[in-house]
Amino acid sequence: MNFKQHKTGTAIACWFAVLLGFLILFLVKKDDIFSTLKETRFFSTVFGKEPDFILRYDPKKTVTPPSAKTDEAPPSAFPYNEDKPLSVLPAEKNTARPPELAESQEHLEERAVKDTAKTKAKLWFVEITAEGTVSRKEVSRMLPAAGAPLTQAIQALLAGPGSGKPDNRVRTLIPDGSRLLSASVSGGVARLSFSEEFQWNSAGIEGYMAQLMQVVYTATAIPGVRSVQFLIDGELREYIGGEGIGIGMPLTRSFFQ
């Protein structure tokens, strides 16, 4: 009798354990079981009607923890319409020039301005009147401002009065072929070296005086020049031509007055 009671107690305990296990499993998998029963309509198929607890069952929504990573891309800050293509704005052109290029361009512009700039120079020629007398004649000439004023003025003087408005009475008595070899200024004295042609004048003493006057008056019109020392081929000569006009000392305007 005791053995039968012991066996019966053991069986009851086993069945209780099995039921408890099913209960725990049911509680753990309750949502899955209810969801499966509702989706498969098990009660309607077997018993012809869904019980109220199945009809009222609402499956829990899975909430993703804030820290969980998702594959969903974050919303864009700019709205995008798939039906309307994105318009790409053209890149802004950089109009700023590199410093070295800007400096080079400024240098070229300054040089162009200097090349086109002009300055007024006073040149002296001679004017022969109807009576045959010779007098000084001042002529203004626009010359480039970039070069040495003294050199440019003497070069323009040697070129003659042909530029500008023609005047048959205005002429030069500087011998043809005369060339300026060098020019410098020191202590108010302009040292001008002329080629060999400068020392021979076919017009005689008046021609020599006129050619020296033309050079002295033109040179001393340059600021800072008070007198002229004549040189022939870079050498100092005491006299010019065969008339004995002295050029061994610097000449001023007062020499011709």
Side-chain angles (χ1 to χ4, degrees), residues 62 81 125 133 160 178 195 225 239 246:
T62 303
N81 187 351
F125 296 96
T133 58
S178 298
S195 61
V225 178
Y239 301 97

Side-chain angles (χ1 to χ4, degrees), residues 187-230:
V189 179
R191 294 175 60 85
L192 303 178
S193 177
F194 292 92
S195 61
E196 195 73 27
E197 293 84 356
F198 186 80
Q199 67 174 341
W200 306 111
N201 197 312
S202 60
I205 189 170
E206 288 188 352
Y208 284 111
M209 290 294 290
Q211 75 181 72
L212 296 176
M213 177 275 301
Q214 287 182 239
V215 174
V216 170
Y217 270 71
T218 299
T220 54
I222 305 297
V225 178
R226 298 188 298 271
S227 63
V228 176
Q229 176 64 67
F230 287 91

